[in-house]
């Protein structure tokens, strides 16, 4: 047994570190958290100064038992969990749960898994930082109190099964607010005028310096420009410089990986975690842009080696966030000479992004020369502006260009302009006035939501990805692409002194991988805003994060902070839970049907639905679920009434009635007690009996081909074709058919023998599926 036991969080990290420490060290993993608040119950003793009631997770009892046994035998126990607050808390929980004597423990931290870094950490141990632990405890306890007390309120006042979280609820509010901004946005048309000119043999483009309000103005201008003379009246050359972006923080890595690589926030963090544990990059949860002197020297050496002296420029960056710890580093490669790494494709791509961003941050500015040419014309005062941009020295752009944020489409084209002098006449080949429309604010992507949360001071590097994942899992937010709609626009064209008009079509409103609030998310958001304004306030949530920072600095007791929050919060919970508070359903009255019955939409027990008729009327009201793509805030009366056309009777097949309806997962045909999913190309409102029979027959054929043999005995044995080959089923349990057996020729005795052998061996089996008895997606 080695004298030293070193404990980390993950097996991958343990494997890497063990190679560096030699025979004197045993390196083991806790596999993440070993203790937490209990899953059931509040787990916080409110009356006893908010004392957390931690328990060892059920799936970690064996891990804890093994670590405890090893810790007793070891002379020294090294707690080498991550360097952030969560890592510090894990180290503290290990100390408590393993019942280790503090005198024989050492806390070591590092922000890269390389041999020099690990050996340096071992050489400079410290004790557990209780202030960091307390900051993490404060976050955990506060979030448990909010979730535990708010969720039952939502069950009673909105819908059962809902839950709420402190940071998550604010993130949902951002998305709901933005969706309403987009929905309420009024598109304003305008005209953009472009001139296509020639200076000698060279062609270039210029734009009218102002936008025109409507088609009348645009047509009047183009008519005026017939036969106009165009002259260069001004020319300016403006030298400028572009400076590289700082190395990655957690937030900027998540944003750039989303824009450049299409990775989700959680995917980026999974890949970065793997790169860190393999020793390729520094710690991936950081809000610092600082680089160590070792990193600065390494990056400079690599720039000099690859690109030469004029490209090298050592820079230090200052972190804007007051809470960032400058002792930590930005996310960077651990070895700058490793331009490429071994690994999976997504790891290579993310590493390449990190390597380029870090190297570029230590390179010279790019030198740009911008030329602006003003072209006047003889027919009116309006001027055209042509802009050109030439890179004099590429500098850091040789390696890396940062992606633009998702903003209004960039419609300016800047390139090299031909040589022109003042008073030179240029020829207008064509003048186009194109109708454009103002754009609503963009919906959030995961990356832009992270940027907004960071700007508001909500959350920290370790919380961005879990927050976004949680609100999607809870069904408050969906990430999806949506098709746009066609829109016509007008193009006026002046060519050869003739003005022509053309009507064109474009797609507007199409979205790719954007975040949308669900109807449930909107109703919950509105309810919480009405009754728990403080929880939903951006400034309050940011202030709570600042209080956690104060606790981490040892300047405040965490239980005092919790007590100050809890007293007024609990009173609000009690008040809102009372019978006086009305249930929230997000109800909208859409109008009346042809018979005068009220039509409304609201959130019901099983989700959003339309109600036809009054609950207290003699005739019972009818209900219909909203279909995919329909939303409570935008559904119209006509669309709502259409929902009551289902179920439809299509006729009979094999003397049994066929009906078409829609269910939780989409439309389906029902026949003889069985359900058949309707393919996407079939509309439940228009599908005919002939097509429904085709769908039924196709499924029956597949099921028939699935059955190889049936032994009609008690219990019945079936031999079926499965996804992974032939198998038998008896008593709802599946048994694999041996490869050396022909399933079509198996006898009953052979089947019973195979089943008996499988039962004796104790090999895992799964419950069987009986063809034709499973409901499809629609039900």
């Amino acid at each position: 047994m080695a004298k030293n036991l070193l404990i980390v969080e993950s097996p991958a990290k343990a494997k890497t570190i063990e190679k560096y420490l030699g025979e004197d060290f045993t390196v083991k993993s806790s596999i993440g958290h070993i203790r937490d608040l209990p899953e059931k119950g509040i787990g916080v003793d409110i009356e006893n100064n908010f004392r957390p009631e931690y328990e060892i997770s059920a799936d970690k009892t064996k891990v804890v038992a093994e670590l405890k046994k090893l810790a007793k035998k070891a002379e020294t126990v090294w707690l080498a969990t991550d360097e952030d607050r969560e890592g510090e808390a894990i180290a503290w929980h290990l100390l408590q749960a393993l019942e280790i004597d503090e005198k024989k423990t050492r806390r070591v931290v590092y922000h890269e898994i390389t041999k020099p870094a690990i050996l340096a950490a071992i050489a400079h141990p410290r004790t557990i930082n209780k202030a960091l632990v307390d900051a993490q405890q404060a976050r955990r306890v506060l979030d448990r109190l909010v979730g535990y007390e708010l969720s039952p309120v939502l069950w009673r006042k909105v819908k059962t099964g809902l839950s709420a979280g402190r940071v998550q609820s604010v993130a949902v509010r951002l998305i709901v607010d933005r969706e309403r901004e987009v929905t309420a946005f009024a598109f304003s048309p305008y005209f953009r005028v472009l001139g296509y000119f020639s200076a000698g043999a060279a062609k270039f483009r210029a734009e009218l310096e102002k936008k025109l309000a409507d088609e009348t103005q645009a047509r009047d201008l183009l008519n005026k420009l017939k036969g106009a003379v165009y002259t260069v009246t001004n020319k300016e050359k403006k030298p400028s410089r572009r400076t590289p972006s700082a190395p990655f923080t957690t937030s900027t890595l998540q944003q750039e990986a989303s824009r450049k690589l299409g990775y989700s926030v959680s995917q980026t963090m999974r890949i970065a975690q793997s790169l860190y544990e393999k020793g390729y990059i520094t710690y991936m949860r950081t809000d610092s842009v600082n680089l160590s002197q070792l990193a600065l020297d390494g990056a400079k050496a690599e720039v000099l080696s690859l690109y030469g002296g004029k490209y090298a420029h050592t820079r230090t960056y200052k972190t804007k966030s007051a809470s960032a710890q400058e002792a930590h580093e930005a996310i960077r490669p651990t070895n700058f000479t490793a331009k490429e790494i071994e690994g999976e494709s997504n790891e290579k791509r993310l590493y390449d992004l990190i390597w380029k961003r870090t190297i570029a941050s230590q390179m010279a500015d790019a030198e740009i020369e911008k030329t602006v040419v003003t072209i006047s014309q003889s027919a009116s005062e309006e001027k055209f502006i042509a802009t050109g941009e030439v890179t004099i020295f590429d500098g850091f752009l040789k390696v890396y260009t940062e992606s633009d944020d998702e903003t209004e489409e960039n419609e300016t084209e800047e390139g090299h302009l031909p040589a022109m002098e003042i008073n030179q006449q240029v020829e207008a080949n064509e003048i186009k006035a194109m109708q454009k429309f103002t754009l609503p604010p963009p919906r959030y992507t995961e990356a832009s939501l992270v940027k907004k949360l960071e700007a508001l001071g909500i959350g920290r590097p370790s919380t961005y990805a879990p927050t976004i994942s949680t609100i999607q899992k809870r069904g408050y937010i969906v990430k999806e692409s949506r098709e746009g709609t066609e829109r016509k626009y007008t193009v006026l064209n002046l060519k050869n002194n003739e003005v022509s008009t053309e009507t064109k079509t474009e797609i507007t409103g199409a979205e790719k991988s954007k975040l949308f609030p669900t109807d449930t998310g909107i109703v919950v958001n509105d309810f919480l805003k009405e009754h728990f304004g403080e929880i939903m306030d951006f400034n309050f949530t940011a202030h709570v994060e600042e209080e956690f920072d104060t606790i981490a600095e040892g300047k405040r007791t965490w239980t005092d902070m919790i007590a100050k929050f809890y007293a007024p919060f609990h009173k609000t919970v009690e008040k809102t839970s009372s019978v006086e508070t009305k249930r929230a359903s997000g109800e909208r009255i859409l109008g009346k049907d042809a018979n005068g019955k009220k039509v409304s939409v609201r959130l019901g027990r099983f989700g959003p639905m339309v109600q036809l008729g009054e609950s207290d009327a003699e005739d019972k009201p009818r209900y219909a679920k909203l279909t995919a793509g329909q939303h409570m805030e935008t559904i119209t009366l006509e669309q709502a009434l259409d929902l009551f056309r289902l179920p439809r009777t299509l006729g009979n097949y094999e003397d049994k009635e066929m009906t078409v309806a829609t269910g939780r997962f989409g439309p389906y045909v029902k026949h003889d007690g069985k359900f058949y999913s309707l393919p996407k190309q079939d509309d439940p409102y228009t599908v005919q009996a002939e097509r429904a029979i085709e769908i039924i027959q196709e499924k029956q054929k597949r099921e028939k081909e699935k059955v190889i043999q049936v032994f009609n005995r008690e219990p019945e044995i079936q031999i079926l074709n499965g996804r992974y080959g032939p198998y038998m089923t008896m008593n709802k349990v599946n048994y694999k058919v041996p490869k050396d057996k022909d399933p079509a020729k198996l006898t009953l005795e052979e089947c019973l023998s195979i089943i008996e052998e499988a039962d004796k061996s104790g090999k895992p089996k799964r419950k069987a599926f009986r063809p034709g008895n499973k409901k499809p997606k629609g039900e």
Side-chain angles (χ1 to χ4, degrees):
M1 173 66 194
K3 295 179 181 179
N4 299 281
L5 172 65
L6 185 137
I7 305 174
V8 295
E9 291 107 322
S10 78
K13 193 192 297 186
K15 191 176 180 181
T16 306
I17 291 174
E18 197 163 37
K19 293 186 295 186
Y20 302 144
L21 293 178
E23 295 179 356
D24 286 343
F25 280 81
T26 297
V27 183
K28 291 292 180 180
S29 165
S30 67
I31 318 177
H33 289 269
I34 60 163
R35 288 203 316 178
D36 197 3
L37 299 176
E39 288 187 15
K40 294 182 179 179
I42 191 167
V44 177
D45 188 347
I46 296 169
E47 302 302 322
N48 192 12
N49 205 20
F50 302 97
R51 183 175 63 83
E53 298 170 343
Y54 296 116
E55 62 178 31
I56 294 171
S57 308
D59 60 338
K60 295 297 173 64
T61 51
K62 288 184 179 179
V63 174
V64 171
E66 183 194 4
L67 292 176
K68 189 180 285 189
K69 186 177 177 181
L70 293 171
K72 283 183 179 179
K73 294 179 181 178
E75 292 180 11
T76 307
V77 179
W78 304 78
L79 303 174
T81 49
D82 289 339
E83 61 178 334
D84 57 10
R85 294 172 195 173
E86 192 169 359
E88 202 73 18
I90 292 173
W92 179 77
H93 281 294
L94 284 166
L95 180 70
Q96 300 292 314
L98 303 184
E99 300 171 356
I100 313 169
D101 183 351
E102 281 195 58
K103 292 177 182 178
K104 64 181 266 186
T105 62
R106 306 286 185 273
R107 172 77 172 115
V108 288
V109 293
Y110 43 86
H111 43 260
E112 62 182 66
I113 303 175
T114 58
K115 188 170 184 177
I118 298 302
L119 294 179
I122 295 294
H124 301 90
R126 60 169 174 80
T127 57
I128 289 174
N129 185 330
K130 193 58 168 55
L132 292 180
V133 175
D134 287 347
Q136 180 63 23
Q137 286 197 106
R139 180 187 294 279
R140 187 72 188 95
V141 169
L142 182 62
D143 288 345
R144 171 55 65 93
L145 292 172
V146 170
Y148 190 82
E149 298 213 356
L150 264 189
S151 297
V153 177
L154 294 179
W155 302 345
R156 286 190 289 268
K157 300 299 180 180
V158 183
K159 181 173 171 280
T160 55
L162 297 177
S163 57
R166 182 180 55 85
V167 177
Q168 295 94 321
S169 297
V170 175
V172 172
R173 178 186 170 182
L174 283 170
I175 296 164
V176 172
D177 287 353
R178 178 56 54 87
E179 187 64 24
R180 284 176 169 156
E181 285 181 68
V182 173
T183 304
F185 185 81
F187 292 90
S188 299
Y190 64 92
F191 277 77
R192 179 178 180 230
V193 182
L194 297 174
Y196 298 85
F197 298 94
S198 296
K203 295 182 178 180
F204 65 97
R205 194 181 83 169
E207 183 173 352
L208 195 73
E209 61 183 348
K210 68 176 184 179
K211 305 288 191 293
L212 303 180
D214 52 40
E215 185 178 340
T216 302
Q217 287 187 13
R219 190 177 295 279
D220 287 348
L221 175 66
L222 264 58
N223 282 322
K224 281 182 186 177
L225 293 177
K226 291 177 180 178
V229 177
Y230 298 86
T231 306
V232 175
T233 53
N234 192 35
K235 179 181 177 182
E236 287 182 75
K237 286 193 175 182
K238 301 177 182 178
S240 64
R241 303 174 78 88
R242 286 187 192 166
T243 302
S245 300
F248 282 129
T249 62
T250 301
S251 164
T252 54
L253 176 64
Q254 290 168 340
Q255 293 167 49
E256 194 73 342
S258 174
R259 292 188 292 245
K260 270 189 158 67
L261 307 178
Y263 292 169
S264 69
V265 167
S266 57
Q267 184 183 11
T268 297
M269 293 311 291
R270 281 196 305 272
I271 300 167
Q273 176 94 28
S274 177
L275 291 173
Y276 167 65
E277 290 176 350
K278 290 178 179 178
Y280 290 132
I281 64 169
T282 52
Y283 191 53
M284 66 289 157
R285 283 192 281 270
T286 177
D287 48 11
S288 172
V289 292
N290 186 45
L291 292 177
S292 67
Q293 190 58 50
L294 183 69
L296 293 173
D297 294 341
K300 181 179 180 181
E302 189 65 9
V303 173
L304 289 170
S305 171
L306 293 174
Y307 311 112
K310 69 176 184 176
Y311 280 93
H313 184 115
T314 300
R315 304 170 190 270
T316 56
Y317 294 86
K318 184 70 177 175
T319 303
K320 294 177 183 178
S321 171
S323 65
Q325 300 175 62
E326 294 296 345
H328 294 176
E329 279 198 78
I331 302 168
R332 63 164 176 84
T334 56
N335 177 10
F336 288 100
T337 62
K339 195 173 180 181
E340 296 178 353
I341 61 164
E342 295 295 321
E344 296 179 5
S345 172
N346 55 11
E347 292 177 334
K348 290 179 178 180
R349 294 179 72 201
L350 190 66
Y351 178 84
D352 180 66
L353 194 68
I354 294 167
W355 186 92
K356 286 178 176 176
R357 174 80 164 226
T358 314
I359 286 289
S361 76
Q362 300 305 307
M363 293 177 71
D365 289 351
E367 296 174 16
I368 311 294
E369 183 180 79
K370 191 170 186 176
T371 303
V372 181
V373 174
T374 303
I375 299 169
S376 300
Q377 38 79 23
S378 58
S380 68
E381 296 297 316
E382 279 80 9
K383 295 178 174 62
F384 287 84
I385 306 295
T387 57
E389 193 173 273
V390 178
T391 301
I392 306 300
F393 172 61
D394 55 2
F396 75 93
L397 294 176
K398 193 175 191 73
V399 174
Y400 183 82
T401 306
E402 186 176 16
S403 300
D404 291 328
D405 284 328
E406 291 182 290
T407 53
E408 184 167 338
E409 182 182 355
N410 182 8
E411 297 182 297
T412 61
E413 291 183 11
E414 295 185 347
H416 189 72
L417 289 176
M420 289 180 279
E421 301 299 330
I422 293 176
N423 296 324
Q424 177 182 342
Q425 288 189 3
V426 294
E427 183 181 348
N429 304 312
E430 190 175 12
I431 307 293
K432 278 188 176 182
M434 291 183 289
Q435 188 179 32
K436 296 287 182 179
F437 298 87
T438 53
L439 296 174
R443 290 182 172 94
Y444 288 108
T445 61
E446 287 190 355
S448 60
L449 181 61
V450 167
K451 186 174 183 179
K452 184 66 174 179
L453 290 170
E454 185 180 41
L456 292 171
I458 296 169
R460 288 295 180 261
S462 62
T463 65
Y464 299 136
T467 295
I468 292 172
S469 296
T470 298
I471 59 179
Q472 291 181 67
K473 286 175 185 173
R474 288 178 174 171
Y476 294 153
I477 299 299
V478 292
K479 182 173 80 169
E480 61 187 25
S481 300
R482 293 184 181 176
E483 295 180 358
T485 55
E486 284 192 353
R487 176 174 65 190
K488 292 181 179 180
Y489 67 99
T490 303
V491 179
L492 305 178
N493 194 18
L494 171 60
K495 193 171 184 178
N496 300 325
N497 283 330
E498 292 291 332
V499 176
S500 62
T501 305
E502 186 179 3
T503 300
K504 293 188 174 183
T505 302
E506 64 183 357
I507 299 296
T508 181
E511 300 283 22
K512 184 178 180 181
S513 297
K514 293 293 181 69
L515 299 177
F516 297 85
T518 63
D519 291 320
T520 302
I522 291 172
V523 173
V524 169
N525 173 77
D526 292 350
F527 177 81
L528 292 177
K529 275 176 68 177
E530 180 181 353
H531 298 286
F532 295 89
E534 189 175 49
I535 290 286
M536 298 295 284
D537 182 75
F538 301 134
N539 292 329
F540 170 77
T541 309
H543 177 66
V544 169
E545 294 294 343
E546 292 169 2
E547 298 227 281
F548 291 153
D549 295 339
T550 305
I551 294 166
E553 293 164 7
K555 296 177 181 177
R556 185 166 188 189
T557 305
W558 74 271
T559 50
D560 290 347
M561 176 257 181
I562 298 293
K564 183 180 176 183
F565 163 83
Y566 183 72
F569 168 71
H570 184 65
K571 283 183 181 177
T572 306
V573 168
E574 290 181 324
K575 179 183 175 184
T576 311
S577 300
S578 67
V579 292
E580 286 80 16
T581 303
K582 293 181 180 178
R583 286 185 63 86
S585 65
E587 184 181 35
R588 280 179 63 223
I589 308 300
L590 302 177
K592 293 183 178 181
D593 73 348
N595 299 316
K597 290 183 178 180
K598 186 177 81 171
V599 182
S600 61
V601 63
R602 62 182 174 85
L603 185 67
R605 184 180 173 189
F606 300 107
M609 65 178 190
V610 172
Q611 179 175 327
L612 176 60
E614 301 277 6
S615 298
D616 54 358
E618 287 185 16
D619 293 336
K620 285 187 178 181
R622 295 174 62 198
Y623 303 96
K625 291 181 180 179
L626 271 61
T627 61
Q630 291 182 330
H631 307 283
M632 283 170 47
E633 292 204 342
T634 55
I635 190 171
T636 63
L637 175 63
E638 292 73 21
Q639 291 168 338
L641 290 172
D642 263 351
L643 295 174
F644 292 98
R645 289 167 52 198
L646 297 178
R648 291 171 53 224
T649 300
L650 301 178
N652 287 357
Y653 172 59
E654 295 179 342
D655 297 325
K656 303 284 184 178
E657 186 179 71
M658 295 183 297
T659 57
V660 62
T662 188
R664 184 180 175 190
F665 300 106
Y668 62 91
V669 173
K670 184 179 179 182
H671 173 257
D672 195 17
K674 296 179 182 178
F675 301 85
Y676 303 85
S677 292
L678 214 59
K680 285 184 179 179
Q681 66 268 25
D682 292 300
D683 186 341
Y685 294 102
T686 58
V687 70
Q688 298 300 311
E690 293 78 10
R691 175 61 180 147
I693 291 169
E694 283 180 19
I695 293 167
I696 293 168
Q697 289 175 338
E698 285 170 7
K699 184 172 181 182
Q700 287 175 341
K701 183 184 176 186
R702 289 195 303 270
E703 291 175 355
K704 188 175 181 181
E705 290 172 350
K706 183 172 183 174
V707 178
I708 300 171
Q709 283 197 75
V710 177
F711 295 100
N712 293 311
R713 60 184 290 281
E714 191 61 39
E716 183 183 78
I717 297 176
Q718 290 184 340
I719 304 177
L720 307 171
N721 272 316
R723 184 178 177 185
Y724 303 105
Y727 66 96
M728 294 181 292
T729 176
M730 184 181 79
N731 285 333
K732 298 184 179 180
V733 178
N734 293 344
Y735 300 88
K736 190 175 181 181
V737 173
K739 289 183 179 179
D740 59 345
K741 300 288 186 183
D742 183 346
K745 295 180 180 178
L746 280 174
T747 64
L748 174 60
E749 290 71 23
E750 286 176 312
C751 290
L752 291 170
S753 176
I754 292 167
I755 291 169
E756 185 180 354
E757 287 298 318
D759 288 340
K760 283 181 183 177
S761 69
K763 288 182 180 178
K765 299 169 279 292
R766 62 184 178 86
K767 288 189 176 180
F769 158 76
R770 289 187 179 275
N773 290 347
K774 184 182 177 184
K775 288 186 180 181
K777 290 180 180 179
E779 188 66 4

